[in-house]
């Protein structure tokens, strides 16, 4: 992760994608490795094998309108997959395990015995109230 690629380290590039684009660590590693295969290609190999360094563990940030609402990619819901009856931790783990996952929406319904996990293939840009 300390290898330099066009003026920034691979780790810095991954941190940027995670912090600004809200990508899970594996997806950020894969993207950086695709853009800089010679310098950062080892990251993608580690992501596929589950060998990410602890400093690149997945991070999740609430959408700009806070933790409530439906995620959107631009003006649409975006391409996504729904999973029901999982915990928030399991939802995040499913996203981290899938290289194409770029974000999640998780909901538990008050008074109901079920939950909803939505895995997005594009980075959600905002949430609707």
């Amino acid at each position: 992760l300390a290898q330099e690629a066009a003026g920034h380290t691979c780790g810095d590039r991954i941190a940027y994608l995670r912090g600004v684009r809200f990508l899970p660590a594996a997806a950020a590693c894969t993207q950086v490795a695709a853009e800089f295969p010679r310098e950062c290609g080892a990251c993608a190999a580690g992501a596929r094998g589950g060998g990410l360094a602890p400093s690149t563990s997945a991070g999740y940030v609430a959408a700009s309108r806070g933790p409530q609402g439906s995620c959107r990619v631009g003006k649409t819901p975006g391409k996504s997959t729904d999973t029901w009856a999982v915990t928030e931790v399991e939802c995040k783990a499913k996203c981290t395990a899938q290289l194409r996952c770029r974000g999640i929406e998780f909901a538990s319904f008050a008074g109901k015995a079920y939950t909803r996990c939505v895995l997005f293939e594009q980075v959600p840009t905002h949430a609707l109230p």
Side-chain angles (χ1 to χ4, degrees), residues 12-108:
D12 288 343
R13 291 179 179 283
I14 292 165
Y16 170 82
L17 291 173
R18 292 183 61 224
V20 175
R21 302 268 174 100
F22 308 117
L23 294 184
C29 282
T30 300
Q31 182 172 331
V32 169
E35 292 175 13
F36 302 95
R38 183 177 307 150
E39 300 89 343
C40 304
C43 180
R48 285 190 297 275
L52 292 177
S55 62
T56 62
S57 62
Y60 293 87
V61 178
S64 60
R65 293 195 138 193
Q68 301 296 317
S70 298
C71 292
R72 292 292 181 262
V73 177
K75 294 183 179 183
T76 69
K79 187 172 182 180
S80 62
T81 304
D82 288 14
T83 303
W84 295 87
V86 296
T87 66
E88 185 174 2
V89 170
E90 291 168 328
C91 183
K92 290 177 180 180
K94 284 178 176 287
C95 184
T96 300
Q98 296 182 20
L99 293 179
R100 70 178 186 270
C101 184
R102 301 293 187 255
I104 68 165
E105 174 184 319
F106 180 81
S108 58

